[in-house]
Amino acid sequence: MFPGIGILANVAGIVAGGMLGLGCGRLISERFQKTLMMACAVAVIFLGLTGAVKEMLALDGGGLALVGTNCMLASLIGGALIGEAINIEDRMEKFGIWLRRKTGSSGDTRFVDGFVTASLTVCIGAMAVIGSINDRLLGDPSVLFAKTVLDAVIVMIMTATLGKGCIFSALSVGIFQGAIFLAAGFLEPIMTPAALKSLSAVGDILIFCVGTNLFGLPHVRVANFLPALVIAVIWVLAGCWLPV
């Protein structure tokens, strides 16, 4: 297998899952779509919550202790400030509006929401980072193959409820993971086990927030928190991953 096949498979899997979900969405009533949306929200919240808990709980003297809270707080607060200054979410929404116009979907009021929500769900997380690095440097696409299956199922359910905008999250995955693939030589020594642990914890918290948005709770501008992932890695590299 050639380097990059994992990213191509991930993109294809999202498109396939989205197309299947689009077909299913046309066959089910609005009542069932709402129920599916709640099921999707629960699943995303569960994935984010369990992932964050797994990374931030550690045994301490025979009991459980919460670790990395300083890193988590610094990453989320700093990331939010940087993200709001750059206004990442608005930029993603404008790109979604451009896609909606170019694909002749101007009448689809859910297109942009579906694109942004699905893009955040499938791009955030350590699997995207470590999978792309392995694909480039080791010729090992196994992590991305596993991610492909998960993403296809998630996007299928999202597309059934939020519409075809979710399918275009394949573009986001291709761009995001492709950039990591190209920068793999630089990123490999940086992404130590501790850095990946930190990135995973913060990333899973952001995935949890995506789930709360799907539930219709007060909206969290998750895209504007994306710089938190970078801060989480920098924090560890600076030697500040301390249990509290």
Side-chain angles (χ1 to χ4, degrees):
M1 291 184 287
F2 58 89
I5 191 172
I7 295 174
L8 293 177
N10 203 172
V11 170
I14 290 172
V15 173
M19 295 301 293
L20 183 59
L22 188 62
C24 294
R26 290 170 177 170
L27 298 175
I28 59 180
S29 67
E30 184 178 351
R31 179 168 63 90
F32 279 94
Q33 287 186 22
K34 288 182 179 179
T35 302
L36 277 175
M37 174 65 76
M38 293 300 100
C40 188
V42 170
V44 174
I45 285 174
F46 179 79
L47 287 172
L49 184 60
T50 54
V53 169
K54 181 184 70 174
E55 299 297 346
M56 296 186 68
L57 282 183
L59 288 174
D60 182 20
L64 290 175
L66 193 63
V67 301
T69 52
N70 285 339
C71 175
M72 180 264 292
L73 288 170
S75 298
L76 292 177
I77 294 172
L81 292 173
I82 295 172
E84 284 293 336
I86 302 173
N87 215 347
I88 300 172
E89 181 128 342
D90 279 359
R91 295 177 187 275
M92 285 189 70
E93 288 177 355
K94 287 177 181 177
F95 182 59
I97 292 170
W98 179 83
L99 280 176
R100 183 176 64 185
R101 186 175 65 251
K102 290 298 183 180
T103 57
S105 306
S106 297
D108 187 353
T109 57
R110 300 180 301 174
F111 186 98
V112 176
D113 187 33
F115 167 71
V116 174
T117 302
S119 293
L120 290 171
T121 304
V122 298
C123 286
I124 298 172
M127 289 184 78
V129 177
I130 194 64
S132 300
I133 292 174
N134 286 353
D135 195 3
R136 171 69 184 275
L137 299 181
L138 304 179
D140 177 14
S142 58
V143 174
L144 290 183
F145 285 165
K147 182 176 180 291
T148 296
V149 176
L150 294 173
D151 289 351
V153 173
I154 290 172
V155 172
M156 178 181 69
I157 297 173
M158 284 188 171
T159 305
T161 54
L162 291 175
K164 64 181 178 182
C166 299
I167 300 174
F168 290 89
S169 63
L171 287 175
S172 303
V173 162
I175 294 170
F176 180 68
Q177 293 181 178
I180 295 173
F181 178 87
L182 293 175
F186 170 74
L187 292 174
E188 185 189 26
I190 294 176
M191 300 311 298
T192 63
L196 280 172
K197 181 182 180 71
S198 178
L199 184 147
S200 295
V202 174
D204 286 326
I205 292 171
L206 299 187
I207 290 174
F208 173 86
C209 293
V210 172
T212 65
N213 285 346
L214 289 173
F215 254 127
L217 298 176
H219 184 74
V220 180
R221 291 164 61 85
V222 179
N224 285 352
F225 281 85
L226 290 178
L229 300 174
V230 179
I231 295 175
V233 174
I234 293 174
W235 183 279
V236 173
L237 295 178
C240 297
W241 179 257
L242 300 174
V244 295

